[in-house]
Amino acid sequence: MTPPTVRVPDEVLRIVRTLTDAGHEAWCVGGSVRDALLGEEQSDFDVATAATPDQIRKLFARTIPVGEKYGTIGVIDRERRLHEVTTFRHDVTTDGRRAVVAFGASLDDDLARRDFTINAIAYHPLTGEWRDPFGGAEDLDARILRAVGTPAERFREDYLRILRGIRFAAKLGLEVESATWAAAREQSSGLAGLSAERVRDEWFKGLRTALDVGMLVRLWHEVGAAAVWLPDLARDVPRGLSAHVRDPVLITTALIGDPGRTLRRLRASNAEIARAEAVSAARIAAAPGPEGARRWLARVGDAADDALRLAELVTGSPAPWAEAVAGVRSRGEPTTRRALAVSGADLLGIGLTGPAVGDALDMLLDRVLADPSLNRRDTLLSLLGRGA
Ligand code: ATP
Ligand code: MG
C-alpha cells in the first residue's frame, strides 16, 4: 500500500508523545485509522499503548475510568474532549457475549484480537509508521470486509461481531469476504445469546450509518440475524428511507409490523417505544376531509409530524392527508382539549366535579372537531346546558 499521511489532531499527538516520552509504546488504532485511510476527517483517534491503566492515569492530569476492566482510560484534554487510551491486551476467555482480557500484550497481540482486518490497523503518529499484519489497508482498497483470523472462531468469541460486520459492510459499501460470510451465517444462532441492549445499539447504529438501508436489511435477513431478533422485519425497503432522515425509531416503525413489541424486546426506552407505537397507530389509508384531518390530529397528538414524515419517506411524496392537515393547522382549528375555549377550571367553576370534568371536555372536543365554529366560551357552556 502507499500509506497516506494521516492528520492526527494535536491533542492526540500530545497524548502519544507523553506516553512515548515515559517509555511506553503508543499507537493510533481502530475505527479512526480505518476512516482516515478512507479519507475521512477524524477527530477521535483511539490510542493503544503498552502502559497499564495505572501508568496512564499517573501520566495525565485529568482522566476518567471509561472501561477500566478492559483497560480503557479516558484522557480529558485542555478543550475538555475525551480521548480513549487503552492498554494493549489479549483475550483470555470469551463466551460469545463478553471477554476477559489480560494486559502485558504486544501491539500485534492487540491487533490480533480485533474483529475485522480493516479495524486492525495501527498508525504511529510521531514516526508515520504503519502496522497492518492482516492486510487491512489492502482489503479496504478492494472494499472487502474480512474477519481477523479464523472467522467462525472469532464470531463464537463474540457474536456481536456478526452484526458489527454487517454494519461496516453497509456503511462503507464493502463486500463481505466469502469465508467470513459463510461463518457468519453458520454462527448466527449464537446471536440469540447476546444482550438486547448490544443488539439494539448495533441495529440503531446500522440504521443511522448505512449507505443504503436496503443493504443493511438484506444482510440482517441473509445472515439470519433478522430471524433471531427482528422476526417481522420487512424485506422490501422503500428507497426514501435511505435518503435523508436517519431516525432509527422511525425507520424501525416503517419496517416492522409491530414496532412496539420489537422495541420492547430490544429494551428500547419507554419514550422510544411509545413513539413507535403512536406513529404506527397513526397510519391511515385514505385522504380525509377537513373533519377527518381534525379527528386524526386529535387522535394521534404529538405523533402527527412523525407520522407525516414517515409516510413521505416511505412513498417519496407527501402523505395523502398532509394537505388536509396543513389546512386545519393554518386555520388554527382546535384539535386538543387544551385548545378548547373552556378549561377544566371553568367546568369546576360551574359545579362539575371529578370524572365529569374530563367527560365534558371530551364531549365538547368531539363537537368542536365536527364544527370548529362552536369553539367559543358561551357556546360551549350552553352546550353543557349552562348559560355564559
Ligand atoms: P465506529 O466507532 O464507527 O462504530 P469503530 O471501528 O471505531 O467504529 P468501536 O466500537 O469504536 O468501532 O471500536 C473500536 C475498535 O475496537 C474497533 O475498530 C475494533 O478494532 C475494536 N473492537 C470493537 N469492538 C470489538 C469486538 N466486539 N470485537 C473485536 N474487536 C472490537
Ligand atoms: Mg469508534
Side-chain angles (χ1 to χ4, degrees):
M1 71 179 166
T2 43
T5 314
V6 178
R7 218 201 65 73
V8 175
D10 289 346
E11 292 298 338
V12 176
L13 284 177
R14 196 165 289 130
I15 291 169
V16 170
R17 195 169 295 121
T18 302
L19 288 160
T20 308
D21 289 349
H24 309 294
E25 192 182 346
W27 295 74
C28 293
V29 290
S32 47
V33 174
R34 173 198 70 218
D35 292 344
L37 280 171
L38 288 168
E40 283 170 35
E41 270 290 306
Q42 280 305 310
S43 57
D44 55 342
F45 279 85
D46 294 337
V47 173
T49 177
T52 64
D54 266 344
Q55 290 169 326
I56 299 168
R57 251 196 317 261
K58 286 186 186 130
L59 282 171
F60 298 96
R62 297 178 59 200
T63 62
I64 53 170
V66 177
E68 247 196 299
K69 216 167 46 169
Y70 300 99
T72 304
I73 301 286
V75 173
I76 317 283
D77 69 21
R78 295 177 300 190
E79 324 256 291
R80 299 200 178 162
R81 277 182 311 233
L82 178 127
H83 304 272
E84 296 198 352
V85 180
T86 304
T87 305
F88 293 153
R89 59 214 161 146
H90 57 89
D91 291 337
V92 179
T93 56
T94 51
D95 64 1
R97 291 163 61 94
R98 60 184 81 78
V100 174
V101 299
F103 306 138
S106 65
L107 172 66
D108 284 347
D109 294 334
D110 187 83
L111 294 175
R113 63 168 286 286
R114 292 173 184 268
D115 46 9
F116 299 100
T117 63
I118 60 169
N119 288 345
I121 306 170
Y123 174 72
H124 201 292
L126 302 180
T127 65
E129 201 181 334
W130 291 85
R131 190 74 64 82
D132 180 13
F134 307 102
E138 206 177 303
D139 282 345
L140 207 50
D141 251 8
R143 315 302 289 182
I144 290 172
L145 184 90
R146 185 195 312 269
V148 167
T150 310
E153 271 172 35
R154 304 314 310 284
F155 294 139
R156 274 197 298 271
E157 288 168 4
D158 180 0
Y159 291 102
L160 193 76
R161 290 172 185 160
I162 295 174
L163 303 182
R164 286 174 54 85
I166 289 175
R167 170 161 61 87
F168 293 124
K171 174 185 173 192
L172 304 172
L174 309 179
E175 190 178 333
V176 185
E177 177 268 331
S178 63
T180 299
W181 191 237
R185 295 179 67 161
E186 250 165 54
Q187 301 294 324
S188 67
S189 61
L191 290 166
L194 289 173
S195 79
E197 289 81 355
R198 293 181 84 200
V199 174
R200 182 199 60 226
D201 278 357
E202 275 305 325
W203 171 242
F204 279 12
K205 263 196 219 171
L207 290 175
R208 272 196 217 98
T209 59
L211 276 180
D212 168 5
V213 174
M215 174 176 179
L216 183 82
V217 165
R218 186 167 47 75
L219 295 178
W220 270 70
H221 275 300
E222 278 180 16
V223 88
V228 175
W229 283 98
L230 309 170
D232 56 350
L233 179 65
R235 284 179 182 274
D236 291 323
V237 175
R239 294 190 58 80
L241 290 187
S242 285
H244 19 270
V245 194
R246 285 309 180 82
D247 177 328
V249 173
L250 218 50
I251 299 180
T252 301
T253 306
L255 295 178
I256 288 180
D258 185 346
R261 192 181 59 197
T262 298
L263 289 174
R264 206 167 278 116
R265 174 143 180 257
L266 290 174
R267 293 184 191 271
S269 70
N270 288 338
E272 287 168 336
I273 293 165
R275 180 165 172 242
E277 285 181 332
V279 175
S280 190
R283 293 182 195 186
I284 46 177
E291 179 177 348
R294 288 192 293 272
R295 291 196 180 277
W296 181 79
L297 281 164
R299 176 167 70 80
V300 307
D302 290 342
D305 288 307
D306 274 349
L308 288 165
R309 205 149 62 91
L310 186 63
E312 179 156 2
L313 283 176
V314 168
T315 62
S317 47
W321 65 99
E323 213 178 298
V325 167
V328 173
R329 286 174 162 167
S330 70
R331 293 187 298 274
E333 292 168 356
T335 59
T336 62
R337 290 192 344 185
R338 282 184 38 169
L340 290 173
V342 296
S343 66
D346 290 330
L347 300 189
L348 290 169
I350 59 166
L352 295 185
T353 53
V357 174
D359 290 349
L361 289 172
D362 283 343
M363 185 278 276
L364 293 176
L365 178 59
D366 182 67
R367 298 292 301 271
V368 166
L369 288 171
D371 180 358
S373 72
L374 299 176
N375 195 30
R376 298 161 44 111
R377 190 181 145 86
D378 50 353
T379 311
L380 296 184
L381 290 175
S382 73
L383 284 175
L384 291 171
R386 320 280 167 133

